[in-house]
């Protein structure tokens, strides 16, 4: 039922929705569940192309048996800094939902790294924290590496993934490049469609908008670089 644990019937409907090509949001609406619940369920059980209801049900039971359960009614145990683990997990979920345009698993990895005190984790750390397979972690990290938001380092024989203080600066640069590509493509479209046609005029308006946004983003990035780099707080490394 809504708000409780997913049942086998819920998982069967999720599988049917994926087969139909429905979005996570539409599947969540049909089940009366938060989109984040559906996203986590699919991500931890094979992803959109490998999700099977029976296998997901079995895996959930296996994880439940492995997970230690505190006595009923007992409050969650705070960590060494007095933080409520449940509140931390909820924060990670909210951050995951706010990373618009980022694949679900990449967003979950990013949220986990961002909320960790060290800012770095191994595959084993992330697997345990997010309760997904190493393959899922690898897929999320690969996307984050591609856009320059995560660094991969060797720790003895293990790979360690990390973020640093200038991660948002580099994310901003990624956004700037995206805006620039949009502006360039739209300008090319004007030449293809004709500057005096209704479609061409529409694209010219869009081009001016993207140019304006790109200029504002560049100005903000330069202000950030000068303010924090000069203060010694971060060392931006544009990629």
């Amino acid at each position: 039922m809504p708000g409780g644990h997913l049942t086998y019937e819920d998982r069967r409907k999720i599988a049917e929705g994926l087969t139909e090509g429905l979005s996570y949001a539409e599947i969540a609406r049909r089940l009366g569940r938060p989109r984040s619940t559906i996203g986590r369920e699919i991500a931890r059980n094979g992803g959109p192309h490998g999700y099977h209801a029976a296998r997901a049900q079995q895996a959930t039971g296996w994880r439940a048996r492995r997970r230690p359960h505190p006595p009923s009614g007992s409050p969650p145990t705070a960590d060494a800094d007095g933080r409520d683990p449940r509140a931390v997990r909820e924060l990670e979920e909210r951050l995951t939902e706010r990373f618009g345009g980022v694949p679900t698993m990449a967003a979950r990895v990013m949220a986990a790294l961002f909320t960790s005190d060290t800012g770095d984790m191994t595959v084993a750390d992330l697997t345990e924290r997010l309760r997904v397979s190493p393959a899922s972690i690898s897929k999320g990290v690969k996307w984050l590496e591609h856009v320059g938001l995560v660094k991969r380092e060797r720790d003895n024989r293990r790979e360690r993934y990390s973020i640093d203080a200038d991660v948002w600066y580099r994310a901003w640069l990624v956004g700037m490049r995206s805006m620039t590509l949009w502006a360039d493509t739209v300008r090319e479209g004007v030449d293809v469609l004709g500057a005096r046609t209704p479609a061409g005029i529409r694209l010219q308006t869009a081009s001016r908008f993207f140019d304006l946004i790109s200029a504002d983003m560049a100005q903000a990035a330069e202000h950030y670089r000068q303010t924090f780099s000069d203060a010694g707080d971060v060392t931006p490394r544009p990629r």
Side-chain angles (χ1 to χ4, degrees):
M1 63 190 206
H5 294 297
L6 290 171
T7 65
Y8 176 72
E9 181 63 19
D10 291 331
R11 293 188 167 94
R12 189 179 64 79
K13 290 179 179 178
I14 290 173
E16 289 176 354
L18 291 173
T19 300
E20 294 175 27
L22 300 180
S23 67
Y24 289 8
E26 177 60 21
I27 295 173
R29 188 189 66 77
R30 290 188 177 187
L31 292 177
R33 302 274 186 166
R35 183 193 178 285
S36 58
T37 298
I38 303 304
R40 287 195 303 274
E41 167 68 15
I42 295 171
R44 66 164 62 106
N45 291 296
H49 301 296
Y51 185 88
H52 298 280
R55 191 181 303 163
Q57 183 77 9
Q58 184 179 30
T60 299
W62 178 76
R63 284 192 293 265
R65 288 192 294 273
R66 289 183 65 237
R67 189 181 305 132
H69 293 279
S72 179
S74 63
T77 304
D79 66 12
D81 293 307
R83 294 173 296 204
D84 179 352
R86 185 180 303 163
V88 174
R89 286 195 299 271
E90 290 175 353
L91 172 61
E92 288 182 16
E93 291 175 6
R94 291 197 299 274
L95 286 172
T96 298
E97 293 175 358
R98 299 300 185 270
F99 289 134
V102 177
T104 301
M105 184 49 61
R108 294 189 68 198
V109 170
M110 189 71 176
L113 290 172
F114 193 66
T115 56
S116 68
D117 287 324
T118 61
D120 63 78
M121 290 183 173
T122 63
V123 173
D125 295 333
L126 288 165
T127 299
E128 180 179 0
R129 183 155 178 168
L130 301 180
R131 298 188 181 279
V132 296
S133 68
S136 296
I137 298 296
S138 178
K139 184 176 180 180
V141 168
K142 184 177 181 180
W143 189 93
L144 292 169
E145 278 191 300
H146 177 70
V147 297
L149 297 181
V150 163
K151 294 186 297 184
R152 185 193 302 253
E153 299 172 347
R154 274 285 178 182
D155 179 11
N156 293 326
R157 295 185 178 182
R158 300 179 301 175
E159 288 187 336
R160 184 172 292 275
Y161 309 113
S162 64
I163 59 173
D164 50 31
D166 68 342
V167 62
W168 299 117
Y169 173 82
R170 285 183 279 116
W172 194 260
L173 293 181
V174 171
M176 285 174 55
R177 289 196 291 272
S178 178
M179 286 295 106
T180 300
L181 288 174
W182 268 100
D184 291 344
T185 303
V186 168
R187 276 193 293 269
E188 293 172 3
V190 174
D191 294 335
V192 172
L193 298 173
R196 296 183 180 277
T197 66
I201 293 171
R202 189 183 309 118
L203 289 187
Q204 288 184 71
T205 301
S207 176
R208 288 194 292 270
F209 169 76
F210 287 125
D211 284 340
L212 177 63
I213 294 297
S214 296
D216 287 345
M217 293 177 74
Q219 184 177 8
E222 179 62 18
H223 176 72
Y224 176 95
R225 187 189 66 79
Q226 292 180 357
T227 300
F228 292 99
S229 184
D230 292 348
D233 292 335
V234 295
T235 307
R237 294 183 297 278
R239 293 168 66 93

